[in-house]
Amino acid sequence: MPPIELPLLERDRELAALSAVIGELGSGRPAVVTVTGEPGLGQNDLLRWAAAYATDAGLRVLSAHATPAEHEVRYGVVAQLLAEENRALAPRLFLTDEQPGGLPGLNGLLNAVRDRPTLLVVRDTQWLDPASLRWLEALARRLPRAPVALLTSTTGTALTRPEWSVGTPLTGLATTIELALPPPTSGGTATAVLRAFGAPGDPAFTEALAEATRGIPAVVHDVLDRFARAGYSPRADRIDPLRALTAEVVGDHATRALSDLRDPAAVDALRALAVCGDLLDFPLVCTLAGPHSVSESRLRAALAASGLTTLRDGHPPVQDAVVRARVLEEMPAADRAELYARAAGLAQRVAADDQGIADLLLLARPVGDPWAVDTLRRGFTSALRGGRRDLAVAYLARALDEPLAAEDRARIEFQLASVEMVTAPTAAERRLGGLIRATRPGPGAGLRARATDLCLLGGDTRAARHALAGAIDSAPAAPEPRRGPTGAPAVPPEAEPASTPRTHLVPHRPYAGTPPGATGPDGRRSAAPDLPGTPRAHDAPRSPGPEAAGRPDTAGPDEDPAVAERHELTVLCRVASFLRHDDADLDVLPVPALPDAVHNPAVAGVWAWEHGVAGVHREEVRRLARSAFVPAATGRPLLVVPRLLGCRALLLTDDGDEAENHLGALLDESHRERAAISVAHILTVRAELHIRHGRPDAAARDLAAAQAELPLDRLHPLFLPYWLALSMITDLQNGHTERARETAARPLPPLAHESATTAQLLFARGVLARTDDEPHQAREHFRACGRWLLRHGCANPAVQPWRSLAAEAAHTLGDTEEAARLVHEEVRLARRWGAAAPLGRAQLSLAVVTEENRVENLRAAVTTLSAASARTAYTRAVIELAAAEREENERRTAVALGPAATVLPPVAPPPGPHVPSAVARPPRPRPAVLTGRRTAKAPGHDAAVWHGLTAVERETAALAAQGLGNREIATELAVTTRAVELRLSGVYRKLRIRGREELRALVQEAEGS
């Protein structure tokens, strides 16, 4: 198809002025017209139009075009002008010696124009050679005596401003006009699209075109021409191809302008501007370009005339990234890297912005000075603060190109891997693998363990075993003394009986089968030995006594960096095996047992978790979990994974407040270290804490923040079931059942089915089935959850109350025998563990599935749960007890039970994991608004739920249960708002509930009972 033709858009004023000048020239009136503007605004297009218009009017037209290539050619433009009139004169202009006052051909031209008015058109006068400039100035002095009009164009930043410009007395009586072209408006761009395609373009398309081309007519014309040739239409869905074409056109224009720029000083200055023009001012850029005899003002003019720079606050930066790339791509790679290095050094000496210097260093050769690494690390921090992880990774990767000490290089590698765990997990694992293999105990003690810890957070479970193998290979020859139950040295190794294994070196398969004393989903009690590395229920715990529990840095073998590192790698190896069993692989070592003596915080954290999931020694678990957060005396850094396990162990012991404090401190530490993957895992554990506390809104916020740090598509499959389970439970508790169903239906990668966290997802699916009133499916999910947990050695009902919920599902299906067996098993295990929340939930389920002593069991559940923070379970227990007491026509209420019945329990983290509160929470009733006074639709005054309340409190509570606000209640009862607040406070205190949510639940249950 032929090229599209676009008219001179938004140039009506200029066209009218040129028409008037040409008309007056026909009457013999001379004129001088200069068309100025930024490069590309169409100056030469106007001159071509004027030449054609004058020719049609019967005038003589002589044209010439000044170019950078002919800037040094004497009389180059004059020769072009006179070639048509006197072809023999043009060659002599280049051969004749310059004589003072000599203006060859000028008089002949003046004689020739007396008979026929003439229009002289000279384009791009900024490139005039000096001789032609003098010749044209002499012509301008003689214009009042000749019918000649001089029409010129310039970029407005000519190297030498002609003397015929406006404001000079040179032209005398001749008409002098300067037409400054303004940049086109968006309306002009829209008109260009309309003329090019015959139909208006989408507003988004037109806006994108104007932004990408900056409205420059020459660029707009070429872009629309290529766009139409490609067969596109001006629609909003074609913006991406439009931008790609615009980049090509801008690059081609820049290449042509570069080819016209012949001055070496201007080329060097342009390259320096392309490198650091946004960071340094122009005098410093000229310094970077090198010593030249060209003045700064002449360089400015030459660069502006090229059209490759724009004027911004007196500074001429290069237009955009495309032009920068075209300017620099002609340089050899070594010269370009050297220019960037010199620019970075100059910027550092003048104390420029750190981020800008770091950007220069990215493309520079190695500088070899310490300031370069420091600047790149500061740029790394700044980029992470701005959410630019890709740029942060590039900064630290560039820092590794500088000469570094071995310890500094290892630390930067570790810091880089912590970010790459989110952006490029495979690269991070390779980098950490190199650290694990290369690092040895020494000044950077703990780095190999920290690298392994980070690998576990990323899901690489094999790295821990390889690291442990390396630690054993580099271990000291002297054997480590074994510690007794109190932390004191035990029998020396050489005196140990042959039958006593060294527990820190004995391999085994942890968490296999059903723990001792526990009953599996099939109803059979396990007779297997106790969990390896876990003390028997009747034995003393294998950990320090109370006097050493708070001092994990007690003097011992862990003061040796090699021993401390081996212990840390041992516990990380056990965690890796817990997450994923891969004992079938032949290239990894079997999992060793935990060390007997707990002198290391990492060992204490994992000990606490293993004891906790087995459901034994709660007080010892609490002491060990606290020890996981006490720094060792050796100054070794604390690992993240053992502390996270310590926090989860505290959740099992009903110490949620303490766990929340530790999680907050750990979160602050991870934010300071810019470890996004650690932040994500910490937020996830805190979301579980919020779920146990009955705060689903806070859990939803933490889960959203965790996914912002580590999106689900970047999450390792081993952790995906845990995250999805928390999302499902949170959605169910927040009433987003459909969203929970979508999460449950999400397909999982094969590796996700090998993770211990699969039990969490099975439990969440069981809760969803329970919510959907599908007891068959719920029971199967809870059974599968139980099988998975028992396979991994988790017998503690505080981890997941799967037995009680499976028992309730079996009870619904009429299988009373299985229901009784499961619920009695959970009660027994919960009593052995001793925490209030799991025991109270088990007692509540016992009352639900068995009719015998139902009220007594409910009272026991209410009393037990009143000391826990599982507020949802407590509310359900109160409702069940109120209904049961009403059935027996008893006048007592659940709020009168227990010694602390008159005091609200403290708000503390509940120990239970995913409490299925969405099941127990009834839908909120809408307030019934009647004409006149509102009617309190609530249980009758004789209902058990109102016992203990005064008449005014009952009336106020009934209105609040309908959803009325305090001000509305005050209006209805003709009392003050403060009186309503006091009455409701008394209601909450007497009913032992926390607010309107639980009040509505009580009323709804009483209405349906």
Side-chain angles (χ1 to χ4, degrees), residues 247-248 250-252 254-255 258 321-330:
E248 292 180 6
V250 171
D252 292 344
T255 300
L258 279 172
V322 175
V323 177
R324 288 193 189 96
R326 292 297 178 97
V327 168
L328 295 175
E329 67 184 6
E330 301 295 332

Side-chain angles (χ1 to χ4, degrees), residues 507-519:
H508 62 79
R509 182 180 182 86
Y511 312 116
T514 303
T519 303

Side-chain angles (χ1 to χ4, degrees), residues 806-869:
E808 293 184 23
H811 176 70
T812 303
L813 296 172
D815 192 348
T816 57
E817 181 179 353
E818 180 187 7
R821 175 179 58 80
L822 287 173
V823 76
H824 281 96
E825 176 74 6
E826 177 140 331
V827 170
R828 184 182 64 81
L829 292 174
R831 288 189 188 281
R832 186 183 74 171
W833 177 238
L839 179 58
R841 283 196 302 267
Q843 291 169 337
L844 176 59
S845 294
L846 178 63
V848 171
V849 303
T850 59
E851 293 296 330
E852 184 180 358
N853 299 324
R854 182 165 179 257
V855 174
E856 287 73 10
N857 289 331
L858 285 173
R859 290 171 180 167
V862 170
T863 303
T864 304
L865 290 172
S866 66
S869 301

Side-chain angles (χ1 to χ4, degrees), residues 11 55 151 231 428 513 623 654 765:
R11 295 292 182 250
T55 301
L151 177 59
R623 285 194 292 269
D654 278 8
R765 286 173 175 170

Side-chain angles (χ1 to χ4, degrees), residues 925-929 933-941 943 945-946 949-966 968-969 972-973 980 983-984 987-988 991 993 996 999-1004 1007:
R926 295 186 178 180
V929 182
R933 184 177 177 86
R934 299 177 190 260
T935 302
K937 290 185 63 178
H941 290 285
V945 69
W946 296 137
L949 302 182
T950 65
V952 292
E953 286 175 339
R954 293 176 185 176
E955 190 174 19
T956 306
L959 292 172
Q962 293 183 19
L964 274 66
N966 289 354
E968 294 173 304
I969 297 174
E972 292 294 328
L973 300 181
V980 174
R983 291 180 187 180
L984 289 178
V987 169
Y988 300 154
L991 297 184
I993 58 178
R996 292 173 181 258
L999 179 62
R1000 292 192 189 103
L1002 285 171
V1003 172
Q1004 187 77 7
E1007 287 179 344

